[in-house]
Amino acid sequence: TDVGTPTVAGRFRMVGKQCFIQVNVIPSTSIATVAGTSYIVLPMTAKGNGEGTMQNITTNTAVGVCVLNLSTSRLYVPSQVASGNTFTICGWFEV
């Protein structure tokens, strides 16, 4: 698994025990060889897990559904993600 610490900028909004997010991610390395096992290390931690959808905004194509494992600060990506591209993740997690 390729792992990188990305450049991350995002917006967060709490609604009850759910946190809704919109995050832009620029990977620091090439990510993903097998969907669901490769991940990006996010500079954030929280209790609980969540999910979201990822879009490659460099090429304006949908990447798919991603999984947030916030106990390990990992964002598992759904398919191959190229280094140097910018991605937007919209999703949620429970706190």
Side-chain angles (χ1 to χ4, degrees):
T1 299
D2 296 324
V3 183
T5 303
T7 302
V8 177
R11 297 178 179 183
F12 303 84
R13 179 171 298 265
M14 291 293 301
V15 178
K17 291 188 175 184
Q18 290 186 329
C19 182
F20 292 89
I21 60 171
Q22 180 180 14
V23 182
N24 285 348
V25 176
I26 303 174
S28 61
T29 185
S30 180
I31 304 297
T33 50
V34 180
T37 60
S38 297
Y39 56 87
I40 298 169
V41 179
L42 294 176
M44 56 187 282
T45 58
K47 295 180 180 178
N49 297 318
E51 63 183 46
T53 58
M54 181 184 284
Q55 180 177 11
N56 184 330
I57 62 176
T58 301
T59 61
N60 198 29
T61 56
V63 179
V65 176
C66 51
V67 176
L68 300 168
N69 183 338
L70 295 172
S71 62
T72 60
S73 301
R74 293 177 179 176
L75 166 71
Y76 287 87
V77 297
S79 62
Q80 187 156 358
V81 177
S83 179
N85 290 346
T86 300
F87 300 89
T88 295
I89 301 143
C90 294
W92 61 273
F93 62 87
E94 290 188 353
V95 296

